[in-house]
Amino acid sequence: MSELTAYETAVAEAIIGVDTLFGGDVNNPSGTGRFIADCWFSGKPLPPAYHHPLAARLRETGGVTAKAPDREAARRYLSDLDLRGRLQDVRLHARGMAELRRDYVEGLALSLEVMLDLVLELLGDGPRVPYERCVDGSTGAAPRFASTDDDRARVRDLLAAAGFAPATHGGLVPAVDAWRAARRVSKAEIHSASDAVIPELDRLAGERVAAHLPAELRAVPRANITFLPIEDAWFSGSMNYLGRARRPDGEPEYEATYEINAALEISRPEFAQLIAHEVVPGHVMTFALIQNLYHRGLLGFEATILTMNSRGATLSEGIANAGIYLAHGVRDLDGLPTAELRLGVLLAQLQDKAKNNASYLLYAEGKTADEAARRIREECLVSEERADKLARAWGGHPLLGRMYLPSYHFGLELVLDLLRRHGEAKAVPALYGAHGLVDCVTVRKAVR
């Protein structure tokens, strides 16, 4: 096991340090224990920030967002590590990098600095971080409310064609609920449903996505994943990329797990979109290709600690949300093969607008959680369970509510725009890291 270089120590300390302050543990195999640091597959030792005497205490108590945070432990941890200085070190190292990598690393440092300032805000040791700065930190853009008027009109038409006309079901929301319930994937069916959907999506991804990648990447396993239903989760699901297993020849196994909320109310068409998002050609495929590029020495160390709430994460969510389009080789809803799939994907996209709008309503307009939940239930047609989670557990969290929730909708619009402007042959290699690791800002430079 090789040691960390000076640059690698700086970037690892910054990411793991902020992660620890929010209660995250990159070594935890479950998404219930991970938070900002999404993975650690470099094979190198974790930095001192992970092993600090107070780190275990912060992870155990849930960090600064816990109901009863250990503020004194967090303050002492911050004092000992000097994370602000680490971020400055990261920026200094970035100056000597090639342009695309430099811009990515500087964007990562910017995102982490916002997260660090949120820590100080929560401790009462710094001012409130403006919402606009939070959204810019994760998306590179200003916050905005997403209109759903046209989407709801389209849903109404598709429901009527499927025999679930809102007029006969007491309104649009009840009609969507009825359609969803008639096609719901039960907890008992999760394994069989995923076993049926994954191979087909992997085949399509091989034909329509991997075909545009360099030959060396086409043989990388794209969907080595195990599904794990969990009870009482506050999230719909968590893809946990592990990437630590090795074959006898030293080649990575590219393995991941997906923990899915057993209470999730999801239809079969929405489930297909979810698999495309989480597995192939979405997150698992994206992470596996990045790991392969790092394994072959084509990407830097920062690629091995992919980071939530960052501009890189926004691009990753965009690729995942566009996964169903990429798999079918289309660039808009009308290109999808069946009306049933079009409705499922449209409802999934409305859930991403619900995430964005919950964030905007709570932090730009100052609405209550009850009002935000009611609005996104009616305007974005999400289930009661999703509306409640997005307005409270997600929306009420300082990081997820202010930085992460807008990334899903923003990322999808970005990726679809790149596909429409440049086509798959140019966009796909840039999106999946073949030209270098990119984020939602730098990807446009990689495409060009």
Side-chain angles (χ1 to χ4, degrees):
M1 181 183 291
S2 60
E3 296 299 314
L4 297 169
T5 67
Y7 162 69
E8 291 168 352
T9 297
V11 76
E13 286 275 277
I15 296 172
I16 298 299
V18 172
D19 187 37
T20 301
L21 285 161
F22 280 101
D25 182 356
V26 73
N27 265 344
N28 194 315
S30 171
T32 59
R34 295 188 184 201
F35 194 41
I36 292 167
D38 239 6
C39 51
W40 183 278
F41 54 69
S42 64
K44 296 191 175 187
L46 283 156
Y50 185 86
H51 300 290
H52 187 280
L54 290 170
R57 169 67 179 167
L58 290 167
R59 291 191 288 266
E60 178 187 351
T61 57
V64 295
T65 56
K67 290 183 179 178
D70 189 335
R71 291 185 174 86
E72 184 55 33
R75 291 187 177 106
R76 287 166 52 202
Y77 184 82
L78 275 166
S79 176
D80 288 352
L81 288 182
D82 184 21
L83 295 181
R84 191 85 62 188
R86 284 305 195 188
L87 287 173
Q88 183 60 26
D89 292 340
V90 170
R91 290 188 170 103
L92 288 172
H93 283 286
R95 291 178 184 175
M97 296 175 180
E99 182 182 6
L100 194 64
R101 186 183 182 194
R102 179 201 68 206
D103 291 350
Y104 177 91
V105 172
E106 288 179 347
L108 175 60
L110 184 151
S111 300
L112 288 165
E113 191 166 52
V114 175
M115 297 182 226
L116 181 57
D117 286 341
L118 283 168
V119 168
L120 298 178
E121 174 193 316
L122 292 166
L123 291 174
D125 297 336
R128 183 171 179 82
V129 182
Y131 178 56
E132 293 76 11
R133 183 176 168 227
C134 292
V135 177
D136 176 76
S138 61
T139 69
R144 61 183 186 271
F145 190 81
S147 172
T148 63
D149 293 344
D150 291 342
D151 298 318
R152 281 182 286 135
R154 185 73 184 275
V155 168
R156 189 180 298 273
D157 292 342
L158 288 166
L159 282 173
F164 289 83
T168 61
H169 283 79
L172 186 55
V173 171
V176 170
D177 290 345
W179 180 88
R180 204 174 258 135
R183 292 155 177 78
R184 183 175 178 180
V185 178
S186 69
K187 176 183 174 181
E189 295 174 306
I190 287 173
H191 282 292
S192 61
S194 61
D195 287 346
V197 174
I198 291 175
E200 176 62 10
L201 283 171
D202 190 38
R203 180 187 68 80
L204 292 172
E207 294 175 357
R208 294 167 179 168
V209 185
H212 298 293
L213 294 170
E216 297 84 357
L217 292 176
R218 295 174 201 161
V220 176
R222 296 181 289 266
N224 183 7
I225 191 163
T226 302
F227 270 67
L228 305 170
I230 54 175
E231 303 288 344
D232 302 322
W234 55 272
F235 46 78
S236 58
S238 173
M239 191 286 288
N240 310 303
Y241 191 81
L242 306 176
R244 300 190 183 188
R246 296 291 183 271
R247 300 172 186 170
D249 63 0
E251 184 72 14
E253 293 277 4
Y254 305 103
E255 82 283 7
T257 62
Y258 183 68
E259 297 170 301
I260 189 166
N261 186 347
L264 187 64
E265 298 173 15
I266 191 169
S267 67
R268 291 185 182 279
E270 290 171 290
F271 189 74
Q273 191 276 344
L274 178 68
I275 298 297
H277 178 110
E278 298 292 350
V279 186
V280 58
H283 288 320
V284 176
M285 176 175 168
T286 305
F287 281 33
L289 296 180
I290 287 173
Q291 181 172 12
N292 178 268
L293 290 163
Y294 173 76
H295 182 67
R296 292 192 288 123
L298 299 176
L299 291 181
F301 175 77
E302 63 276 5
T304 69
I305 329 172
L306 297 168
T307 307
M308 297 275 284
N309 308 295
S310 68
R311 293 176 175 182
T314 294
L315 179 62
S316 183
E317 295 299 348
I319 296 168
N321 276 342
I324 196 73
Y325 295 104
L326 287 161
H328 288 281
V330 301
R331 302 171 194 178
D332 55 47
L333 204 66
D334 289 330
L336 294 172
T338 67
E340 182 122 323
L341 184 58
R342 287 193 285 275
L343 180 51
V345 171
L346 182 53
L347 290 173
Q349 290 176 189
L350 276 165
Q351 177 167 270
D352 290 327
K353 286 189 175 182
K355 294 173 182 176
N356 177 84
N357 290 358
S359 174
Y360 192 91
L361 289 167
L362 291 167
Y363 295 103
E365 296 189 0
K367 303 295 186 186
T368 65
D370 284 346
E371 173 66 6
R374 182 188 65 78
R375 288 276 301 274
I376 62 174
R377 169 85 165 128
E378 293 174 356
E379 297 171 9
C380 302
L381 308 178
V382 295
S383 68
E384 287 188 9
E385 180 265 339
R386 284 291 85 197
D388 180 74
K389 293 289 196 304
L390 294 177
R392 291 182 173 81
W394 279 68
H397 192 285
L399 267 183
L400 300 178
R402 286 194 250 176
M403 292 189 76
Y404 211 66
L405 284 183
S407 67
Y408 296 85
H409 174 59
F410 180 91
L412 175 62
E413 287 195 324
L414 168 66
V415 173
L416 290 180
D417 180 65
L418 291 172
L419 290 169
R420 290 164 187 158
R421 286 176 182 267
H422 302 285
E424 286 81 356
K426 289 188 69 174
V428 164
L431 290 168
Y432 287 95
H435 301 325
L437 193 63
V438 291
D439 61 30
C440 65
V441 175
T442 63
V443 66
R444 292 192 184 278
K445 187 177 295 184
V447 172
R448 291 194 296 269

